[in-house]
Amino acid sequence: MGLHQYITGLTNLETLRRAPGFFKYEEHSVAAHSFKVASIAQMLGDIEEEAGHTINWQRLYEKALNHDYTERFIGDIKTPVKYATKSLRSLLADVEESMTENFIVGEIPPEFQDVYRRRLGEGKDDTLEGQILSVADKVDLMYEGFGEIEKGNPEPVFLDIYRESLKTILQFRQLACVQYFLDHILPDMLHENFADKQHLESVTADTLAQADDQ
């Protein structure tokens, strides 16, 4: 028993592809996604601190870096499938939790097991750090969708990914970092020149308007 298998799992994440089953101009691995989410979470944490809020940086980094580690056990399941029904989502969560616990007990030395239970557990909780993780995860997913739309990918799933990611981000609009994203980063994204720009601007405006009406 040692930490060898944990390190091996990091390599496994390099081979797991995001949004499997769809044509993509640019492939993204779970490992690359985890790094980008950690970097985006760091940026969002900086914005929250600038707004006068206290960030537990250890908690934020642990949540962001490890938030998809357990996908080494079940892979990156298509979002429409994963969220098809509440019972399926609950079942997948139970399977993931059980496999994670078996991994911790079987591979992690006893003196570190509680640490890795914390790190590999569900990070998207009600803490400020958990909320930042939720936003950072969707910001990266939104950019993945945007990147394919910008390149002219005809797969409609990427427009759905963009729209649904923005909807989730808007659920956290009470956060200073989300307000900053909406006021500064999103307009810069839409300022880029690409073929379907007007359509994406329309989708963005509709999504923002729907959130305002709720």
Side-chain angles (χ1 to χ4, degrees):
M1 179 183 291
L3 292 167
H4 163 69
Q5 289 299 328
Y6 175 77
I7 298 173
T8 300
L10 299 174
T11 301
N12 293 343
L13 296 181
E14 293 184 67
T15 65
L16 287 175
R17 298 301 172 189
R18 303 262 296 163
F22 297 107
F23 167 73
K24 297 181 286 294
Y25 284 111
E26 186 174 359
E27 292 283 358
H28 300 277
S29 71
V30 174
H33 168 69
S34 297
F35 170 75
K36 289 186 291 179
V37 168
S39 298
I40 293 168
Q42 177 179 257
M43 177 194 72
L44 299 177
D46 288 337
I47 295 170
E48 289 294 329
E49 277 202 334
E50 182 67 21
H53 303 131
T54 301
I55 299 295
N56 182 324
W57 286 100
Q58 178 182 349
R59 180 188 295 165
L60 181 60
Y61 285 132
E62 286 187 347
K63 286 176 178 293
L65 283 170
N66 296 286
H67 80 284
D68 273 347
Y69 183 86
T70 55
E71 286 191 4
R72 65 168 290 192
F73 305 125
I74 63 173
D76 185 25
I77 300 172
K78 293 181 182 180
T79 295
V81 175
K82 187 186 299 184
Y83 294 99
T85 66
K86 289 183 178 180
S87 58
L88 177 58
R89 178 58 183 151
S90 178
L91 178 61
L92 289 172
D94 289 343
V95 171
E96 189 174 88
E97 183 178 346
S98 176
M99 295 185 74
T100 300
E101 179 62 20
N102 289 339
F103 169 74
I104 291 171
V105 172
E107 301 296 343
I108 302 297
E111 63 270 28
F112 298 119
Q113 288 183 3
D114 285 343
V115 171
Y116 281 88
R117 283 191 182 93
R118 182 185 75 237
R119 288 179 177 167
L120 303 185
E122 177 56 64
K124 296 174 182 176
D125 53 28
D126 292 333
T127 63
L128 177 56
E129 295 77 18
Q131 294 179 69
I132 290 173
L133 169 60
S134 295
V135 174
D137 189 31
K138 293 305 180 182
V139 167
D140 185 54
L141 183 59
M142 186 176 173
Y143 266 84
E144 286 183 11
F146 172 75
E148 293 299 314
I149 295 168
E150 187 180 32
K151 294 178 180 66
N153 192 322
E155 289 275 9
V157 69
F158 294 107
L159 188 59
D160 292 339
I161 285 173
Y162 175 94
R163 182 189 296 110
E164 293 304 316
S165 297
L166 180 56
K167 284 183 179 179
T168 301
I169 292 168
L170 289 169
Q171 293 174 10
F172 297 90
R173 65 190 314 163
Q174 79 280 1
L175 298 180
C177 62
V178 171
Q179 287 298 320
Y180 187 96
F181 175 82
L182 296 174
D183 292 342
H184 300 284
I185 300 174
L186 184 59
D188 281 348
M189 173 192 284
L190 297 175
H191 187 67
E192 298 282 351
N193 290 317
F194 53 97
D196 213 17
K197 179 176 180 177
Q198 288 186 333
H199 186 200
L200 194 62
E201 287 176 336
S202 176
V203 168
T204 302
D206 289 345
T207 304
L208 292 171
Q210 289 173 13
D212 288 337
D213 291 339
Q214 292 177 354

